[in-house]
Amino acid sequence: MTLNAVRRSVLDGRSLPSSPKAKASALPFATRLNLRGGPDIVGPVAEAFGVAPPLKPLSSASAGARAALWLGPDEWLLIAEEAATDLQAKLEAALAGVFHSLVDVSHRHVGIWLEGPGAARLLAAGCPLDLDLSAFPVGMSTRTLLVKAEIGLWRPVENGFHIEVLRSFAPYVARILDQAARDQG
């Protein structure tokens, strides 16, 4: 007897908003690495990862399928395509001799993509931040709350948000987004 395991997203079968105003979808599995260190990590990480971790608070940097999101003065979330299986080893080699911490959090997080002209309004139903483009511009990245769930929020394009949430909170966040969409019509 052969058993085959199939990896499924915790969001499979969950209702996510889908309207002309705002549409949410589960992002594909990805490699996610939590990186901590001082400014001296930027050069080696940029060379090994292809994107330099931003030093400016609340910002991001991206190239293709890779992104570095600022989480704090000495902390970033690196996101890459799931196929980047040797990425952690490559970064560890580049950071040899540089004080840092690099932890794979790929299976801890779930990504949700929210897009459309009503995406900011939909998030505003449960997020305390001012999500107007003038206050939360393209490229901004931060940790915040969506009702009671801590999320990472990144705005890579004008009408699109990348939400990072702990896997155990993803169904809750999906319900919040779905309910907010129904409340807003």
Side-chain angles (χ1 to χ4, degrees):
M1 172 190 266
T2 302
L3 297 176
N4 291 324
V6 176
R7 186 172 174 199
R8 293 193 180 131
S9 171
V10 70
L11 293 174
D12 281 358
R14 303 279 178 185
S15 181
L16 288 166
S18 182
S19 75
K21 293 180 185 175
K23 179 182 178 174
S25 56
L27 288 167
F29 295 118
T31 297
R32 293 174 176 89
L33 300 169
N34 182 276
L35 172 66
R36 298 203 69 163
D40 53 341
I41 61 124
V42 173
V45 170
E47 189 172 318
F49 184 61
V51 177
L55 293 175
K56 180 182 172 198
L58 305 173
S59 64
S60 65
S62 63
R66 295 194 173 185
L69 310 180
W70 186 91
L71 298 178
D74 68 347
E75 185 177 9
W76 298 267
L77 179 64
L78 305 179
I79 303 172
E81 62 283 359
E82 186 182 27
T85 54
D86 64 339
L87 182 58
Q88 186 169 6
K90 190 174 178 183
L91 283 162
E92 287 289 3
L95 290 165
V98 179
F99 183 74
H100 72 284
S101 168
L102 186 66
V103 179
D104 187 337
V105 294
S106 301
H107 296 287
R108 182 178 81 179
H109 284 235
V110 171
I112 298 172
W113 177 248
L114 181 61
E115 66 183 332
R121 183 169 184 251
L122 184 65
L123 277 172
C127 180
L129 298 177
D130 181 353
L131 298 173
D132 184 79
L133 195 56
S134 63
F136 200 100
V138 171
M140 189 167 178
S141 172
T142 191
R143 286 180 174 150
T144 188
L145 293 174
L146 185 62
V147 185
K148 294 182 180 182
E150 181 181 310
I151 63 170
L153 188 61
W154 172 37
R155 185 180 220 156
V157 296
E158 184 174 333
N159 287 326
F161 293 89
H162 179 124
I163 300 166
E164 285 286 318
V165 61
L166 291 175
R167 180 180 168 77
S168 59
F169 281 95
Y172 172 76
V173 167
R175 283 192 306 271
I176 295 299
L177 293 173
D178 190 52
Q179 184 63 53
R182 283 189 273 127
D183 290 348
Q184 293 179 13

